[in-house]
Amino acid sequence: MSSKRLEGKVAIVTGAARGIGRATAVAFAREGAAVVGIDIAGPVSKTLEVVPATVEELDETGRLVVAAGGKWNSRRLDQRDMGALRQAAAWTAETFGKIDILFANAGIQAFKPLLDMEDADWHDQIEVNLNGTCNAIRAVAPYLVKNGGGRIIITSSTQGQHGTKYGAAYSASKWGLIGLMKSAALELGQYGITVNAVIPGLIDTPLTRHRRRYAQAIDDLNNDEPLDKLEAAAKQKLAAKSPLGLPWLPPESIAPAVVFLASDDAYLVSGAAYDVTGGDSANNMA
Ligand SMILES: NC(=O)c1ccc[n+]([C@@H]2O[C@H](COP(=O)([O-])OP(=O)(O)OC[C@H]3O[C@@H](n4cnc5c(N)ncnc54)[C@H](O)[C@@H]3O)[C@@H](O)[C@H]2O)c1
């Protein structure tokens, strides 16, 4: 008998081109799963300072998944597009015979004071993070029902557990995801489907490594110091706040929690949020 925890499973991972999505796709493959990676692999919103992911990055995830022993395929789409997600889910079920796992992880982040917001500063994060994640669940869940059960894991955030200065849209989207996760757990349990959220702390991905994110971290949004000085100040402040002394956690540190939630071992875990924050959870209320 194989000791791999996801042997024979078919998983869809959104936001697979890089960061937490890539690390988890590779970890899924290491545990024996076939992975379909979904990503927009291009610009998402004009409100973002984050460098967009690329097709090459999505392909690189594929190479890493195959090197880890997994089957791989990818679909390039925007998760705001429900039709495209439904097509990707149907294609996955047809090609691999079923779907067992959805890791609905794709997301974006930007910072803007409420008083300065234009419509896109609010709408784009709600559309991508909250509506897009629900789209992924609505597109894939019917196949999990057909499968006689399955696993849904979504990516929320510590910012879905407290307020975020200059990050109202992101925080609201990530709090909303907790409500979505718990509601989905209540509805889908009868079909043998568990639904949980992973709560990453601050992770070392392109999402967090840019000027405006550093400036928000030191509570000086319009800081115009040279980037290396600003980064060093943010690093010091973040590390000081972290019980384990880490400014940013590696994305690979999140994947084991998602693998557990996707595995048979987690068959009685549902409606829960699972923190991997380097100790930052100790600063949160929830
Ligand atoms: N990095 C952190 O500190 C951190 C902390 C907590 C939660 N998160 C969450 O983790 C998830 C992954 O973030 P990451 O840090 O790996 O960032 P990342 O930017 O490295 O990866 C996010 C991926 O999602 C994709 N994506 C974005 N919008 C999309 C859309 N509309 N349709 C399809 N794909 C889309 C991007 O192209 C990118 O490849 C996000 O939901 C993020 O909010 C990140």
Side-chain angles (χ1 to χ4, degrees):
M1 210 179 92
S2 166
S3 60
K4 292 186 174 182
R5 286 179 293 168
L6 303 178
E7 190 73 62
K9 304 285 188 194
V10 178
I12 290 183
V13 175
T14 71
R18 65 188 191 189
I20 295 168
R22 174 188 282 176
T24 305
V26 174
F28 279 179
R30 211 177 290 128
E31 293 291 346
V35 180
V36 174
I38 286 177
D39 206 286
I40 193 170
V44 185
S45 161
K46 67 176 167 48
T47 66
L48 300 181
E49 191 180 297
V50 179
V51 177
T54 63
V55 176
E56 290 71 29
E57 287 177 305
L58 186 57
D59 290 345
E60 175 61 13
T61 300
R63 275 190 287 279
L64 294 168
V65 162
V66 171
K71 289 197 185 108
W72 165 259
N73 227 299
S74 64
R75 283 288 172 275
R76 196 176 165 204
L77 61 83
D78 184 338
Q79 68 174 6
R80 287 167 289 197
D81 182 346
M82 186 65 199
L85 273 167
R86 284 202 203 280
Q87 271 180 15
W91 179 89
T92 302
E94 201 177 311
T95 307
F96 292 96
K98 60 172 181 166
I99 307 174
D100 301 287
I101 299 160
L102 168 65
F103 181 38
N105 161 77
I108 56 172
Q109 183 182 53
F111 296 97
K112 196 73 162 292
L114 274 164
L115 295 176
D116 298 343
M117 274 190 185
E118 297 186 18
D119 289 349
D121 294 313
W122 176 261
H123 286 280
D124 288 4
Q125 288 178 79
I126 301 295
E127 270 291 324
V128 172
N129 297 353
L130 183 54
N131 299 353
T133 302
C134 189
N135 287 344
I137 291 175
R138 289 170 53 225
V140 173
Y143 296 94
L144 302 183
V145 172
K146 212 178 283 177
N147 192 35
R151 300 273 182 271
I152 298 173
I153 304 105
I154 65 163
T155 305
S156 179
S157 168
T158 53
Q159 292 170 21
Q161 299 179 321
H162 57 62
T164 305
K165 198 172 177 185
Y166 311 132
Y170 187 78
S171 245
S173 74
K174 294 294 180 177
W175 276 85
L177 283 174
I178 299 290
L180 169 64
M181 175 275 287
K182 288 183 184 287
S183 305
L186 288 173
E187 289 188 29
L188 300 176
Q190 64 186 306
Y191 304 107
I193 300 168
T194 65
V195 189
N196 293 287
V198 67
I199 309 284
L202 202 55
I203 312 301
D204 191 356
T205 71
L207 187 112
T208 55
R209 303 307 298 266
H210 56 90
R211 169 173 285 281
R212 207 156 166 84
R213 185 64 182 93
Y214 301 146
Q216 192 274 345
I218 63 162
D219 196 15
D220 180 13
L221 210 54
N222 296 316
N223 182 295
D224 59 1
E225 283 180 291
L227 188 62
D228 55 340
K229 269 190 82 180
L230 176 59
E231 179 181 350
K235 186 175 180 181
Q236 195 183 25
K237 174 134 189 224
L238 293 167
K241 186 172 159 257
S242 158
L244 296 180
L246 291 172
W248 299 282
L249 282 57
E252 291 75 18
S253 65
I254 306 304
V258 187
V259 168
F260 166 69
L261 293 170
S263 74
D264 290 346
D265 289 341
Y267 74 112
L268 292 180
V269 182
S270 194
Y274 197 116
D275 296 15
V276 184
T277 66
D280 194 33
S281 305
N283 294 306
N284 293 339
M285 292 293 285

